[in-house]
């Protein structure tokens, strides 16, 4: 159980690029990083593309005025001159900026935590992975839902053979908040449907990469052999980017899978779920009830497993914070992954590769897989929704 005690020797000096007053994700980063105040300390930032607004924001959240910078390049240069300069930076900016900021941060000898999808192409990810290895730095990716510990319970039960051989993987991440042209009134939404800034996809990158990574976390041995993606722009102005997509998957072990991702599922508040069907039983998790896991054994009554109970696997309860029936949710999920980022960074600083190897967290390889997922989906869709080998 996590109770706020030190997991590393001291809090890491942390900064942000983006994540300011108008950001949809900045606060999630901060509540994740600062939930355990023994892991990170926010000491600097370049919080906004508007320098004045960024400085005002930084001061209002407690950052010293002289460490609220106009831009990230200035921050990296000036902080490198300080004995107490930053060690880690989180990138909470639009997709098209990730690659350059991440590369500049690594060249400045900083560890990096970056929003998803990581970059536009898998070649860019491989280049940055090589640079991170050269510099001895961690690159983490904020798949923010993946810290929900019941996902680790699913992983453990599958590894223990509780559901038998996996046959069907049913993934969904949908909502209805972009059923109309939301980007006309929301600056935070506008860039997400601009290919120059968002990249080659909208909901495949913005939504489905979360669920795809979570499926990998749950089933690390399951590899996709081929897929077919059919994507649509129901709000026509978003073309060529999609606001709805269906993906069919064939896994190497013979299992089949589906992913439905959509921002035009009108009326839907939370359509984020994962169902794994095995030869003996099935498991299902819904984001709307993150502390519950449905376990259905063929021929037996349906079971609902509850977070923090002693019958759960140790790997699941290790990330527990509040106790059974005391509500945890997205903020705790972010806190869990940020704590693991901190442990990985501290271990990397100490040359402790074994600790990093045993950590389950979204690292740069998870970011690479997310970009590969998008690339393959887009390639299939652009060829007319045909089956393509997963490359």
């Amino acid at each position: 159980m996590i109770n706020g005690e030190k997991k590393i020797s001291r809090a890491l000096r942390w900064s942000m690029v983006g994540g300011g007053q108008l950001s949809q994700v900045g606060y999630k980063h901060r509540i994740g990083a600062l939930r355990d105040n023994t892991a990170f300390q926010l000491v600097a930032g370049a919080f906004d593309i508007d320098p004045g607004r960024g400085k005002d924001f930084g001061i209002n959240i407690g950052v010293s005025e002289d460490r609220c910078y106009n831009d990230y390049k200035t921050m990296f240069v000036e902080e490198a001159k300080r004995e107490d300069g930053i060690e880690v930076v989180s990138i909470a900016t639009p997709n098209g900026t990730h690659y350059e900021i991440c590369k500049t941060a690594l060249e400045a000898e900083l560890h990096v935590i970056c929003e998803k999808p990581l970059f536009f192409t898998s070649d860019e990810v491989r280049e940055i992975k090589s640079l991170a290895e050269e510099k001895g730095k961690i690159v983490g990716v904020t798949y923010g839902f993946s810290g929900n510990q019941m996902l680790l319970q699913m992983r453990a039960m599958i590894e223990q053979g509780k559901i038998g051989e996996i046959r069907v993987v049913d993934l969904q991440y949908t909502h209805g908040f972009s059923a109309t042209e939301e980007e006309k009134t929301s600056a935070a939404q506008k860039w997400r449907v601009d290919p120059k800034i968002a990249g080659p996809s909208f909901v495949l990158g913005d939504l489905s990469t979360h669920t795809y990574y979570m499926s990998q976390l749950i089933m690390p041995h399951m590899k996709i052999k081929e897929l077919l993606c059919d994507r649509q722009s129901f709000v026509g102005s978003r073309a060529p980017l999609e606001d709805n997509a269906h993906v069919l998957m064939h896994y190497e072990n013979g299992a089949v899978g589906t992913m439905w991702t959509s921002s035009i599922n009108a009326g839907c508040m939370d359509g984020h779920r994962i169902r794994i069907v095995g030869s003996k039983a099935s498991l299902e998790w819904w984001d709307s009830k993150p502390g519950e896991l449905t376990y259905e054994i063929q021929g037996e009554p349906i079971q609902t497993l509850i977070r923090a109970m002693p019958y759960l696997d140790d790997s699941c309860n290790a990330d527990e914070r509040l106790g059974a029936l005391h509500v945890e949710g997205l903020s705790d999920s972010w806190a869990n992954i940020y704590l693991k980022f901190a442990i990985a960074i501290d271990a990397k600083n100490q040359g402790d590769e074994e600790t990093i190897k045993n950590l389950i967290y979204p690292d740069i390889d998870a970011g690479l897989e997310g970009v590969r997922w998008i690339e393959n989906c887009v390639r299939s869709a652009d060829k007319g929704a045909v089956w393509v080998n997963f490359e």
Side-chain angles (χ1 to χ4, degrees):
M1 182 173 182
I2 297 170
N3 62 8
E5 290 184 286
K6 288 183 179 180
K7 298 287 187 180
I8 59 177
S9 57
R10 61 170 179 80
L12 298 164
R13 297 185 296 275
W14 174 56
S15 65
M16 294 190 72
V17 178
Q21 187 181 67
L22 304 182
S23 173
Q24 292 182 326
V25 298
Y27 187 60
K28 296 171 187 174
H29 283 267
R30 287 186 290 278
I31 59 177
L34 303 176
R35 177 67 179 273
D36 300 296
N37 64 5
T38 54
F40 292 94
Q41 179 186 11
L42 182 60
V43 297
F47 296 105
D48 202 302
I49 195 169
D50 181 312
R53 187 169 61 202
K55 178 164 287 193
D56 288 345
F57 178 80
I59 293 169
N60 284 337
I61 62 171
V63 177
S64 297
E65 182 175 358
D66 65 332
R67 299 181 80 173
C68 295
Y69 297 95
N70 289 349
D71 60 82
Y72 71 89
K73 291 181 180 179
T74 301
M75 177 168 72
F76 295 164
V77 169
E78 293 303 314
E79 287 291 315
K81 299 174 183 177
R82 302 177 61 113
E83 289 187 8
D84 62 347
I86 58 174
E87 303 166 279
V88 190
V89 61
S90 285
I91 302 170
T93 58
N95 304 348
T97 64
H98 293 175
Y99 169 79
E100 187 60 40
I101 300 173
C102 186
K103 183 178 181 180
T104 306
L106 289 171
E107 289 171 342
E109 308 292 337
L110 299 173
H111 298 278
V112 177
I113 299 165
C114 188
E115 265 298 324
K116 48 89 296 278
L118 202 48
F119 310 131
F120 282 2
T121 70
S122 54
D123 286 342
E124 289 176 334
V125 185
R126 292 186 182 95
E127 177 191 339
I128 293 300
K129 179 180 178 180
S130 178
L131 179 60
E133 290 171 350
E134 175 191 328
K135 297 291 186 178
K137 301 300 177 183
I138 292 292
V139 176
V141 185
T142 50
Y143 291 122
F145 298 94
S146 66
N148 281 293
Q149 61 263 42
M150 295 304 276
L151 303 177
L152 293 173
Q153 179 65 23
M154 295 177 78
R155 178 186 175 117
M157 293 176 72
I158 290 170
E159 288 178 346
Q160 294 159 10
K162 295 291 181 67
I163 71 169
E165 183 180 353
I166 295 174
R167 293 175 171 173
V168 178
V169 177
D170 185 16
L171 309 174
Q172 177 183 332
Y173 190 176
T174 69
H175 61 71
F177 290 101
S178 298
T180 58
E181 228 172 339
E182 180 194 14
E183 54 270 22
K184 283 189 173 181
T185 57
S186 170
Q189 187 65 18
K190 186 176 182 179
W191 69 261
R192 286 178 165 84
V193 296
D194 182 345
K196 296 188 296 294
I197 304 173
S201 73
F202 172 24
V203 294
L204 284 165
D206 202 41
L207 301 181
S208 79
T209 50
H210 281 290
T211 320
Y212 176 62
Y213 170 68
M214 291 155 70
S215 73
Q216 291 186 303
L217 184 158
I218 294 164
M219 310 175 298
H221 62 291
M222 293 281 287
K223 305 299 180 185
I224 296 176
K225 179 181 179 181
E226 58 183 0
L227 62 73
L228 181 154
C229 176
D230 188 17
R231 64 174 180 165
Q232 300 79 36
S233 308
F234 281 105
V235 177
S237 60
R238 294 174 184 153
L241 303 190
E242 78 293 332
D243 49 26
N244 187 81
H246 290 84
V247 186
L248 302 179
M249 296 166 279
H250 289 162
Y251 289 87
E252 291 178 353
N253 75 332
V256 297
T258 59
M259 169 83 81
W260 177 30
T261 185
S262 180
S263 65
I264 53 88
N265 185 9
C268 176
M269 292 293 293
D270 185 0
H272 197 183
R273 71 181 183 90
I274 298 173
R275 182 175 179 84
I276 312 296
V277 179
S279 56
K280 298 190 295 187
S282 300
L283 293 168
E284 185 163 309
W285 177 87
W286 282 76
D287 174 44
S288 58
K289 295 182 179 180
E292 298 181 6
L293 178 62
T294 302
Y295 181 33
E296 300 170 323
I297 304 172
Q298 180 59 34
E300 297 185 15
I302 296 172
Q303 300 179 42
T304 300
L305 308 184
I306 303 297
R307 197 203 78 247
M309 293 300 290
Y311 53 70
L312 299 178
D313 191 78
D314 288 346
S315 64
C316 172
N317 281 339
D319 286 353
E320 170 57 33
R321 291 173 178 272
L322 299 180
L325 302 182
H326 296 141
V327 177
E328 289 189 355
L330 187 61
S331 60
D332 296 281
S333 177
W334 278 78
N336 286 343
I337 64 169
Y338 255 97
L339 182 57
K340 290 177 181 178
F341 290 149
I343 293 169
I345 291 168
D346 184 67
K348 178 64 78 171
N349 289 343
Q350 305 301 323
D352 180 4
E353 295 296 329
E354 191 65 23
T355 291
I356 298 171
K357 180 181 176 182
N358 292 325
L359 273 179
I360 300 172
Y361 76 102
D363 60 7
I364 193 166
D365 287 323
L368 173 59
E369 285 303 300
V371 174
R372 288 180 66 218
W373 162 260
I374 297 168
E375 286 179 330
N376 282 281
C377 288
V378 169
R379 185 162 57 94
S380 169
D382 288 354
K383 287 184 176 182
V386 300
W387 287 98
V388 297
N389 292 329
F390 195 83
E391 298 177 353

